[in-house]
Amino acid sequence: MNPLSVFLRTRYGKGFASRDAIEHHQNKAFQHLRRNIMPRSPFYAPYANKPLSEWPLMNKALMMEHFTVINTAGITKEEALKIALTSEQERNFAPMIGNIAVGLSTGTSGQRGLFASNKRERALWAALMLGRFSPSFLQRQRVSLFLRANNMLYERLGNALISFEFYDLLQIFSEHLPRLTKQQPTVLIAPAQILGLLAQAQQDRIINIAPRCIISVAEVLSPEDQTAIEAAFGTRVDQVYQCTEGVLGMTCRAGNMHLNEAYVHIERDVIDEASGAFAPIITDLTRETQPVLKYRLFDILILDPEPCPCGCASLRLKRIEGRCDDILYWHGDNGAPQMIPSDLIRQAMATSRSSIRDYRAVQHGQDRLDIWLETTDFKQASQDVSRNLQKQAFAIKARLPELQFHTGISLQPDQKRRRVIAEKQ
Ligand SMILES: [Zn+2]
């Protein structure tokens, strides 16, 4: 699949007419995977001719452990980790080894992972997004991306039809706003919570923009946020369900979320028979640098069995559970509350030298932050996290609340899927 065909198919295609069409498409893609990609991965080569049921079940921890032998570019885990960590610390987001970009993901599962992509893979992402969402190609489109670090790479995809501008979520939010008004994006891409804050800023006349297309990524968009955003900007909010493992779904022209079965094969690990709720096990049919095969995600999906009026037969989602974190507020240096994106917390965990398997950060008011760590070296991990948070607080001119570290994680039933939690006062 090349970026141009992806673009044309997404832009002008009608989607799959039937399950048969999806299966036919995926069978061809599996053949390509088995013939051309798996043999180049030392880890997966032995499975290239075995049935899918015999492929190993993958997850973030295993992917990390076997990174060196999974990727097809001959990059070692140590090499990749070193360059990714350095670039995160220096906030220089173009870490490359040859023409392969490497990044560190912290995602919603709490644990860090490495990912590597080549230019074609990054261009596929842009082709998919713009094919589906770009308002027009008669005028040059200006895209604002409010995303995490590694997405800086997308700025390099700009061309005569399109320009990308990147807004780092770990920098001070309010400092982005004048630049945003100046850029006047036609396409605005940001996590749901950030779109909510931008809608508020628009209403308070701190910004004045008129994007023709708004895309919510990375988190679940609540109906309340959706209404507020649509009211503030006077245009519909579309949603893309994506993670570092790929674009897993997007809303169609009828406004419903479909899984992206053109590029991702999805098996279900059913966890609740009554509702059919399942954790997806994904096989990405487009990746070549770092194959993502039978990879289990932590999200919980609930399908909508009704056929969609748009006519596309790809699976339709009713809900995505378990990817929302709260936004925290700390005191700013000027005394006013300052927003702390959950990414900042994730980042502090991800750049600890001792591996943190999971964590919870629960804030009480603006003055105390309780942090639970699951790690083999609690002392080292808590020191690292504390130092990282101090550095980040300093960088965004906020006062770090008092930190209380605890070992192990005690789950409260309604919080088990959120990692960053603001306790209501
Ligand atoms: Zn649809």
Side-chain angles (χ1 to χ4, degrees), residues 84-100:
L85 276 171
T86 311
S87 77
E88 289 254 343
Q89 274 154 10
E90 292 172 0
R91 314 226 43 81
N92 145 37
F93 305 115
M96 306 282 284
I97 299 176
N99 77 338
I100 308 290

Side-chain angles (χ1 to χ4, degrees), residues 225-266:
D225 277 348
Q226 182 164 8
T227 310
I229 297 161
E230 291 179 351
F233 296 110
T235 187
R236 192 178 102 177
V237 181
D238 275 296
Q239 290 185 69
V240 169
Y241 169 31
Q242 74 168 15
C243 54
T244 45
E245 290 83 13
V247 174
L248 303 179
M250 43 177 64
T251 45
C252 66
R253 289 168 179 89
N256 296 314
M257 173 72 78
H258 291 266
L259 288 175
N260 179 18
E261 294 187 274
Y263 313 116
V264 184
H265 172 78
I266 293 151

Side-chain angles (χ1 to χ4, degrees), residues 119-190:
K119 189 161 185 204
R120 186 196 67 98
E121 291 166 304
R122 296 191 297 280
L124 274 185
W125 177 87
L128 193 61
M129 297 287 275
L130 296 170
R132 167 67 188 84
F133 296 114
S134 184
S136 145
F137 285 97
L138 297 176
Q139 292 167 317
R140 189 166 199 238
Q141 298 299 318
R142 297 176 298 277
V143 182
S144 297
L145 283 169
F146 280 78
L147 293 172
R148 258 183 65 80
N150 48 73
N151 294 287
M152 186 77 156
L153 292 161
Y154 295 111
E155 282 190 3
R156 295 186 177 176
L157 294 173
N159 58 33
L161 293 176
I162 188 141
S163 67
F164 289 92
E165 200 145 329
F166 176 74
Y167 299 83
D168 181 357
L169 277 182
L170 297 188
Q171 283 170 7
I172 302 175
F173 180 70
S174 58
E175 289 184 358
H176 289 316
L177 300 179
R179 178 156 71 99
L180 186 66
T181 299
K182 193 159 162 254
Q183 189 203 357
Q184 284 297 316
T186 55
V187 179
L188 175 60
I189 304 177

